[in-house]
């Protein structure tokens, strides 16, 4: 899908249907987001922003919902580059990521760090009484158990390199996605002056 709008830069969104919240694979995709685009050391940021310099920024995230979720990668093109370049580079990075071995030491270390970061983020999100109440209410609505907190965190602790790679292979299918390109509207040409009246 290609659109023009009143925006300063070209941007692309790539979206896949993904597992609903708390379902198998949901936590794996959260961990995947950290590996792909969280920080300057992440694989998409280091490739597209630092090395190729074709992107100004890049994000990857699992947008978890009750019935059906979406996994989204979005990137803003640097000046002089196109969203098609971004899609091609993202596809290359993701394809390479999928070919890793589950025993790869670097991958195992990255997943371990990502899980620790998610655990810290998990507890940080429960600091206030209001946040705790909202989370308990969410558990009650989504899974029918307000005491689901331990199982929720355990989902992330149970992620392995193999489950992450399997989920990535299954969800990030290049033939089953939507790609939205948004580019700035073309500049309007000045209308020619009307001929002088005789």
């Amino acid at each position: 899908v290609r659109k023009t709008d009143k925006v300063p830069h070209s941007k692309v969104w790539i979206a896949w249907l993904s597992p609903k919240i708390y379902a198998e694979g949901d936590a794996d995709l959260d961990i995947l987001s950290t590996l792909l685009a969280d920080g300057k050391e992440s694989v998409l940021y280091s490739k597209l922003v630092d090395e190729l310099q074709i992107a100004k920024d890049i994000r990857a995230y699992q947008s978890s919902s009750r019935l059906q979720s979406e996994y989204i990668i979005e990137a803003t093109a640097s000046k002089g580059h196109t969203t098609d370049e971004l899609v091609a580079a993202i596809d290359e990075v993701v394809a390479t990521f999928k070919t890793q071995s589950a025993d790869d030491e670097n991958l195992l270390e990255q997943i371990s760090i990502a899980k620790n970061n998610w655990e810290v983020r998990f507890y940080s999100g429960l600091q206030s009484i209001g946040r705790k109440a909202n989370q308990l209410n969410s558990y009650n609505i989504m899974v029918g158990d307000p005491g689901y907190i331990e199982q929720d965190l355990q989902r992330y602790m149970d992620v392995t390199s193999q489950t992450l790679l399997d989920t990535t292979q299954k969800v990030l299918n290049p033939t089953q996605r939507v790609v939205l390109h948004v580019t700035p509207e073309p500049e309007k040409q000045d209308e020619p002056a009307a001929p002088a009246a005789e």
Side-chain angles (χ1 to χ4, degrees):
V1 180
R2 297 181 185 271
K3 300 285 186 181
T4 59
D5 205 343
K6 295 179 180 179
V7 293
H9 307 288
S10 297
K11 191 162 184 172
V12 66
W13 288 260
I14 307 173
W16 295 263
L17 292 178
S18 57
K20 65 182 181 180
I21 191 169
Y22 305 130
E24 182 180 348
D26 179 53
D28 291 89
L29 292 171
D30 279 333
I31 298 295
L32 174 66
S33 299
T34 300
L35 304 187
L36 289 183
D38 189 5
K40 294 184 178 181
E41 300 299 319
S42 60
V43 291
L44 283 174
Y45 189 99
S46 60
K47 184 69 175 182
L48 275 70
V49 179
D50 284 343
E51 182 182 334
L52 299 178
Q53 298 183 1
I54 62 174
K56 296 170 65 68
D57 57 60
I58 190 151
R59 294 180 63 208
Y61 51 95
Q62 164 76 339
S63 181
S64 300
S65 298
R66 186 174 184 179
L67 300 178
Q68 180 75 66
S69 302
E70 298 172 349
Y71 191 79
I72 300 171
I73 297 176
E74 61 179 69
T76 305
S78 297
K79 186 176 180 180
H81 295 279
T82 68
T83 51
D84 288 307
E85 290 179 82
L86 296 180
V87 173
I90 290 169
D91 284 347
E92 183 178 343
V93 170
V94 171
T96 301
F97 184 90
K98 290 178 180 178
T99 64
Q100 294 181 95
S101 167
D103 298 324
D104 184 275
E105 290 186 4
N106 185 50
L107 177 61
L108 292 170
E109 181 180 0
Q110 289 178 331
I111 291 175
S112 177
I113 294 172
K115 288 164 70 170
N116 289 337
N117 290 341
W118 272 98
E119 184 173 14
V120 170
R121 199 174 306 174
F122 184 88
Y123 286 119
S124 296
L126 299 173
Q127 293 298 311
S128 70
I129 293 176
R131 287 185 176 181
K132 289 176 183 174
N134 286 338
Q135 192 61 64
L136 294 176
N137 185 50
S138 175
Y139 291 146
N140 190 50
I141 293 172
M142 296 294 188
V143 296
D145 178 9
Y148 193 71
I149 185 169
E150 290 186 7
Q151 296 96 311
D152 188 10
L153 179 59
Q154 192 61 43
R155 297 184 307 130
Y156 294 93
M157 299 302 99
D158 289 343
V159 171
T160 68
S161 57
Q162 191 63 62
T163 64
L164 185 140
L165 289 171
D166 288 346
T167 301
T168 304
Q169 190 73 41
K170 180 179 179 181
V171 176
L172 272 61
N173 185 331
T175 66
Q176 296 178 353
R177 66 186 187 184
V178 173
V179 182
L180 172 62
H181 302 258
V182 177
T183 54
E185 292 179 345
E187 296 182 6
K188 293 182 179 179
Q189 299 294 326
D190 293 334
E191 295 183 3
E198 294 183 2

